[in-house]
Amino acid sequence: MTNIEKKKALQELRKASTRLEESYYLTLEEIGDLKNNYIDYMTTAPVNVDDELRRLSDADYELCTALLTMLLREDYFSNGAFERRYDRGQVTPILEKMIKLL
């Protein structure tokens, strides 16, 4: 998938209003950027989501995809966590940075 196609798919996520976790998961999977090895990109062990999110300002595209995957995995372990973080404004900045970097 080209960067232009990835960018378009990510821009479509801005319109998602329901089933956010599923929409983000499927889109990352579709564009080939779901990081099953996201933990390899993390600097904390066990993963401290809030500390890892502080790295966004210096993140490259790969780290952004790992951070987004991390939030999706957090939701797996704590159902509803992704939407709570979305509502707190912690997801959109990652998405916007990914779009900008493409």
Side-chain angles (χ1 to χ4, degrees):
M1 180 170 276
T2 69
N3 284 354
I4 293 170
E5 292 168 325
K6 286 182 179 189
K7 188 174 184 176
K8 185 175 180 178
L10 292 171
Q11 289 170 329
E12 285 296 312
L13 277 175
R14 291 176 175 155
K15 299 175 187 174
S17 59
T18 59
R19 302 173 63 118
L20 290 172
E21 185 257 342
E22 182 179 344
S23 297
Y24 275 76
Y25 184 89
L26 291 174
T27 299
L28 280 184
E29 191 171 56
E30 175 187 310
I31 66 174
D33 286 332
L34 188 66
K35 297 283 189 236
N36 292 322
N37 66 331
Y38 75 95
I39 203 153
D40 294 343
Y41 295 82
M42 303 297 112
T43 59
T44 58
V47 174
N48 182 313
V49 175
D50 293 317
D51 284 350
E52 297 296 344
L53 288 174
R54 287 187 194 98
R55 300 173 57 207
L56 180 60
S57 62
D58 296 323
D60 61 7
Y61 184 82
E62 292 298 310
L63 179 55
C64 287
T65 62
L67 291 172
L68 203 47
T69 302
M70 171 192 70
L71 293 179
L72 292 167
R73 294 300 296 157
E74 177 189 36
D75 189 82
Y76 177 81
F77 295 109
S78 178
N79 198 13
F82 189 83
E83 282 206 35
R84 286 190 297 277
R85 289 196 181 273
Y86 184 89
D87 290 343
R88 286 187 223 142
Q90 295 176 301
V91 175
T92 303
I94 301 170
L95 178 65
E96 294 300 328
K97 182 142 189 188
M98 289 171 68
I99 292 167
K100 180 182 175 186
L101 290 169
L102 286 171

